[in-house]
Amino acid sequence: MKRNDFSQWDCALARTVDVIGDWWTPLILRDAARGVTTFDDFHLSLGISRNTLTQRLNSLVDHGVLAKTLYSERPKRYRYALTEQGVDLVPVLMAMASWGQKWLQDVSPPFRVRHKRCGHEATAMVVCACCGEPLALSDLEPLPKGESA
Amino acid sequence: MKRNDFSQWDCALARTVDVIGDWWTPLILRDAARGVTTFDDFHLSLGISRNTLTQRLNSLVDHGVLAKTLYSERPKRYRYALTEQGVDLVPVLMAMASWGQKWLQDVSPPFRVRHKRCGHEATAMVVCACCGEPLALSDLEPLPKGESA
DNA sequence: AATAGTGAGTTCACTATTGGAACTGAGTCG
DNA sequence: CGACTCAGTTCCAATAGTGAACTCACTATT
């Protein structure tokens, strides 16, 4: 495929896509968020081929999204777990899933979880970090250049 | 690559990944949100190869994310624009970009836009649709099965 | 002691996708 | 007439993904 490399682009979206923008990575992360930790469990749960899984896992570790730790010296056994950076990606995955639930037919949520803060089932919504109102393209307009607020 | 087909999976995340989960699609959508509409402008802006662009554009149209309209009969000229479904994807892209800005070095926002509702520069945040609090994995716990709230 | 099983990969052959460049075709401009 | 624009299509070589089998270091079973 001679995949294009976005790692030098000066765009937050392109750089994020460089980390999680393939077909398997978001699902690996979904499983990690659900508590899957071992190589074979990822393989079993997703049906991803083993060499691709090796690459993805290594790439996520390189990018600091997953951490690989040895949990048994003999025989050597490893565990993959979300780092703080990876944990922070979970809401983004939930936002993607929310879109899917709204617009695609016959889909279940990727995780059925309860939001401890309110006690209800958690569903993601993307809002403006500043005013808390839902973000919508129609409420956005180009920033006059040079302006920062 | 014999790309895996997630279109039959019963998981909102997997199905969403099936629509936008490759390296180019989020960037095509970013450009569309910025106002790019024609085939050549996408090609020029992204540097994507033309045959891949054709495929991606067709796939997005098939999925109902973009709409293709004829805006000149002779010569035939087409315009690609975000549908309502596509517009609804923009906040998700912004959430991805926010993550990139937080965790990756040397990145600029994909669009510098003003949020008309509050007047400030828009930055995305993912919250619980129910209580409006920021979503974080640490606040989530598995739902007792059968329970829906 | 021999066999089976587990976790974590690697190797191999095969196939599908991508990138890049060139090409087509319809129509407009000077 | 020749050059140019838009919207693709065609072709090839390079690369990435798949599935199956294999390795290696241990542990458990019979």
Side-chain angles (χ1 to χ4, degrees):
Chain A
M1 186 205 298
K2 200 198 293 176
R3 181 198 147 189
N4 216 283
D5 176 28
F6 297 125
S7 67
Q8 301 309 312
W9 286 36
D10 176 31
C11 165
L13 181 59
R15 298 281 297 278
T16 301
V17 165
D18 204 58
V19 178
I20 61 159
D22 71 300
W23 296 289
W24 287 117
T25 299
L27 298 174
I28 290 173
L29 262 16
R30 176 201 69 174
D31 272 15
R34 281 171 168 171
V36 173
T37 58
T38 64
F39 187 92
D40 274 25
D41 284 348
F42 282 112
H43 172 60
L44 227 74
S45 160
L46 297 172
I48 181 176
S49 81
R50 300 177 75 83
N51 53 6
T52 304
L53 179 57
T54 301
Q55 286 174 210
R56 289 293 175 278
L57 251 17
N58 287 340
S59 158
L60 288 169
V61 169
D62 288 349
H63 281 107
V65 173
L66 290 181
K68 179 179 185 175
T69 51
L70 191 70
Y71 70 90
S72 158
E73 184 62 51
R74 25 195 31 249
K76 288 199 185 304
R77 294 282 178 267
Y78 302 94
R79 191 194 303 292
Y80 295 88
L82 293 169
T83 60
E84 194 190 345
Q85 211 178 123
V87 164
D88 209 31
L89 218 30
V90 173
V92 176
L93 300 179
M94 293 181 72
M96 291 173 63
S98 282
W99 181 88
Q101 279 191 263
K102 179 168 174 186
W103 292 103
L104 275 15
Q105 263 93 53
D106 306 318
V107 292
S108 303
F111 357 67
R112 307 269 330 251
V113 284
R114 204 174 69 92
H115 192 221
K116 292 188 216 162
R117 281 158 176 262
C118 67
H120 294 93
E121 181 165 0
T123 43
M125 183 170 70
V126 181
V127 302
C128 174
C130 169
C131 66
E133 293 282 315
L135 266 185
L137 183 56
S138 56
D139 290 326
L140 304 177
E141 62 183 10
L143 253 188
K145 62 183 170 193
E147 205 180 319
S148 60
Chain B
M1 184 205 298
K2 199 200 290 176
R3 182 197 148 189
N4 218 283
D5 176 28
F6 298 124
S7 67
Q8 301 310 312
W9 286 36
D10 176 31
C11 165
L13 181 59
R15 298 280 297 279
T16 301
V17 164
D18 204 58
V19 178
I20 61 160
D22 71 299
W23 296 287
W24 287 117
T25 299
L27 297 175
I28 290 173
L29 262 16
R30 176 201 68 175
D31 272 15
R34 280 171 169 172
V36 173
T37 58
T38 64
F39 187 93
D40 274 26
D41 284 348
F42 282 112
H43 172 60
L44 228 74
S45 160
L46 297 172
I48 181 176
S49 80
R50 302 177 75 83
N51 53 6
T52 305
L53 179 57
T54 301
Q55 285 174 209
R56 290 294 176 276
L57 252 17
N58 287 341
S59 158
L60 288 169
V61 169
D62 287 349
H63 281 108
V65 173
L66 290 181
K68 180 179 185 175
T69 52
L70 192 69
Y71 71 90
S72 158
E73 184 62 51
R74 24 195 32 250
K76 288 200 186 305
R77 294 282 178 267
Y78 301 95
R79 191 193 305 292
Y80 295 89
L82 293 169
T83 60
E84 194 190 345
Q85 211 178 123
V87 164
D88 210 31
L89 218 29
V90 173
V92 177
L93 301 178
M94 293 181 72
M96 291 173 63
S98 281
W99 180 87
Q101 280 190 261
K102 179 168 174 187
W103 293 102
L104 275 16
Q105 263 94 53
D106 305 318
V107 292
S108 303
F111 356 67
R112 307 271 328 253
V113 284
R114 204 173 69 91
H115 192 222
K116 291 189 216 162
R117 281 159 176 261
C118 66
H120 294 93
E121 181 165 1
T123 42
M125 183 170 70
V126 182
V127 301
C128 174
C130 169
C131 66
E133 293 283 314
L135 266 185
L137 183 56
S138 56
D139 290 326
L140 304 177
E141 62 182 11
L143 253 189
K145 62 183 169 194
E147 204 180 320
S148 59

